[in-house]
Amino acid sequence: MVTLIEIPLLVSMTVAILSLYLGIRINQALKAFHTWGIPNVVTGGLVVASVCGLLYTLTNIHLSFDLSARDILLLYFFTSIGLNIRLSDVSRGGKSLCILFCLTSGLMVIQNLVSSSVVSAFSLPPSLSILLGSLALTGGHGTAIAWAPMIDAHYGIENAHEIGIAVATLGLIAGSLVGGPLAHRLISRFRLKATGASLPVVGLPEALGSDGANDINHFVLLRTIAFIHIAILSGYGMDAVLQYMGIKMPLFVSALVMAMVIANGVPRLFPRIAMPVRTRALALISDLSLELFLALSLIGMQLWQLADVGLAVLVLFLLHVVIAVLYILLIVFPLMGRDYDSAVIASGFAGIALGSTATAFTNMSTTTAMHGSSPKAFILLSLVAALFLDIANSSLVALLMR
């Protein structure tokens, strides 16, 4: 008999924060982890999740963390990204944006084709290939949970939810562990250097110099938070309008779009208002919300669910990892320009391909903290992930279900 212990939000947040510091200490002790860019939050989060999994296996005690704070943290993060996006950056990166969107869509198609082939080779129900493709890998936990009931109703796969969660969990782990080393390898091999602006979009440098290091105070932070809240509230309004029109999109997309509108509209209408664009305060809030989001996601993973993953699913997942790595090295990195920004994009693409959007940005944040900022990479990935990825993936899954 399983004993369920529900951990309240305050304790859950505390455990998440402590897991981050645990990861820092482990990465400091194991220099290879730091050198290869394994995010601190991933190291610590996986340790806590493993301890919880071991506790469940040995004693049947299930520690259920309250993860409700993740939604607002995700809103904070994407709104911060939106406030940093300038329309001039989007126009200059138009070609790169189209290429990255096509590359992402291409990988999703490949993932579903590979899933269909492996499912057929193992003589499994063909409908199972949907759960083992881009739905859970590129889509992550949220997409898998959202589509599981429909797949169950359409195909009669009673454990669709569990399979989707298991694949998404494996992807989250793999995406977190693959992205940093990929970027480190590319940066070292081609001796790439950061050429972007000195102030980061997200991912504060590990050692701040005296120039601007003290420009964060409570007034600056409060002003920045005020802009974030205004953008989020505007996003709620946009989301209500879209729902009235019958269009359903994640709330963080509306918040990001409204943040872009505010960041580009306010300076033209009210030039005297100081905007938090490309400031350390905004980067600090982005880092904080992103790392807390991923820390909560990692400690909340129920790793014992992976025990029921069959051989076919495991073989297929490992094949997906190999394909994603080769795709990034041989296609994504060359087509995105073979420069430093491309290497940062490669680390984020690993997160998108195998884990989640949050994993992608954590990989890039870790890489830029070590090697230098890359506004272009964050802008391109945020636009693709927030505005196109969910739509393209959902459309592809809907097409496969017909």
Side-chain angles (χ1 to χ4, degrees):
M1 180 178 179
V2 177
T3 302
L4 178 64
I5 300 178
E6 296 185 354
I7 310 298
L9 178 59
L10 183 60
V11 179
S12 299
M13 292 286 288
T14 304
V15 173
I17 294 171
L18 292 177
S19 73
L20 172 59
Y21 281 97
L22 175 63
I24 292 174
R25 295 301 296 270
I26 293 175
N27 282 6
Q28 287 176 343
L30 303 176
K31 295 299 183 182
F33 280 29
H34 177 78
T35 301
W36 286 94
I38 304 298
N40 297 320
V41 65
V42 172
T43 304
L46 288 178
V47 170
V48 173
S50 299
V51 171
C52 292
L54 184 62
L55 179 66
Y56 177 85
T57 302
L58 297 178
T59 65
N60 278 340
I61 295 177
H62 175 195
L63 299 181
S64 178
F65 293 98
D66 186 340
L67 307 179
S68 58
R70 291 191 306 176
D71 292 340
I72 188 64
L73 289 170
L74 194 64
L75 281 177
Y76 260 68
F77 173 70
F78 273 103
T79 303
S80 300
I81 293 295
L83 287 173
N84 271 316
I85 295 177
R86 298 167 178 160
L87 292 180
S88 57
D89 295 327
V90 177
S91 60
R92 285 197 300 268
K95 180 179 178 181
S96 298
L97 183 62
C98 291
I99 293 174
L100 188 58
F101 172 67
C102 291
L103 290 174
T104 307
S105 302
L107 180 62
M108 287 192 291
V109 172
I110 292 173
Q111 287 176 336
N112 289 299
L113 290 175
V114 170
S115 296
S116 299
S117 301
V118 174
V119 165
S120 176
F122 279 86
S123 299
L124 297 173
S127 55
L128 198 60
S129 63
I130 299 176
L131 285 167
L132 305 179
S134 66
L135 173 69
L137 289 173
T138 306
H141 287 83
T143 306
I145 293 171
W147 280 89
M150 288 178 275
I151 293 176
D152 182 10
H154 194 75
Y155 295 108
I157 303 177
E158 296 182 358
N159 59 340
H161 180 273
E162 288 74 16
I163 295 174
I165 290 297
V167 175
T169 300
L170 286 170
L172 180 63
I173 296 171
S176 301
L177 298 177
V178 166
L182 269 179
H184 175 79
R185 172 65 176 169
L186 292 171
I187 291 171
S188 300
R189 179 180 178 183
F190 296 99
R191 298 180 181 179
L192 304 175
K193 300 291 184 181
T195 58
S198 59
L199 293 179
V201 174
V202 64
L204 286 172
E206 294 181 340
L208 293 176
S210 58
D211 54 330
N214 298 317
D215 64 354
I216 300 179
N217 55 50
H218 64 288
F219 289 113
V220 174
L221 283 174
L222 283 175
R223 184 184 65 199
T224 305
I225 291 172
F227 274 104
I228 291 174
H229 283 196
I230 291 170
I232 291 175
L233 292 173
S234 302
Y236 273 105
M238 176 181 172
D239 187 65
V241 173
L242 290 176
Q243 290 194 24
Y244 179 79
M245 297 171 60
I247 302 173
K248 188 174 181 180
M249 296 182 68
L251 180 58
F252 69 80
V253 174
S254 299
L256 182 142
V257 171
M258 293 310 301
M260 289 174 55
V261 172
I262 291 172
N264 290 274
V266 170
R268 296 185 179 183
L269 298 175
F270 309 99
R272 293 186 178 181
I273 294 180
M275 295 294 295
V277 178
R278 306 285 166 86
T279 60
R280 295 189 192 277
L282 191 57
L284 174 64
I285 293 173
S286 297
D287 281 349
L288 178 63
S289 55
L290 176 61
E291 298 217 343
L292 277 178
F293 174 88
L294 192 57
L296 283 170
S297 299
L298 288 167
I299 68 171
M301 288 193 305
Q302 300 173 16
L303 295 181
W304 56 86
Q305 292 180 339
L306 301 181
D308 296 328
V309 173
L311 177 62
V313 175
L314 187 58
V315 170
L316 177 57
F317 176 76
L318 293 175
L319 184 59
H320 277 310
V321 173
V322 173
I323 290 174
V325 171
L326 293 176
Y327 191 83
I328 292 169
L329 291 176
L330 301 179
I331 299 177
V332 175
F333 179 68
L335 289 183
M336 293 308 299
R338 292 182 180 272
D339 55 8
Y340 176 74
D341 292 324
S342 304
V344 178
I345 289 173
S347 69
F349 199 93
I352 288 179
L354 297 171
S356 67
T357 303
T359 307
F361 284 106
T362 301
N363 289 344
M364 293 196 298
S365 178
T366 302
T367 301
T368 54
M370 294 175 61
H371 301 285
S373 64
S374 175
K376 177 182 177 181
F378 280 97
I379 290 170
L380 291 178
L381 259 294
S382 61
L383 288 173
V384 169
L387 301 180
F388 304 127
L389 189 61
D390 285 332
I391 297 175
N393 196 19
S394 296
S395 300
L396 186 56
V397 172
L399 182 64
L400 293 172
M401 288 182 63
R402 291 182 178 179

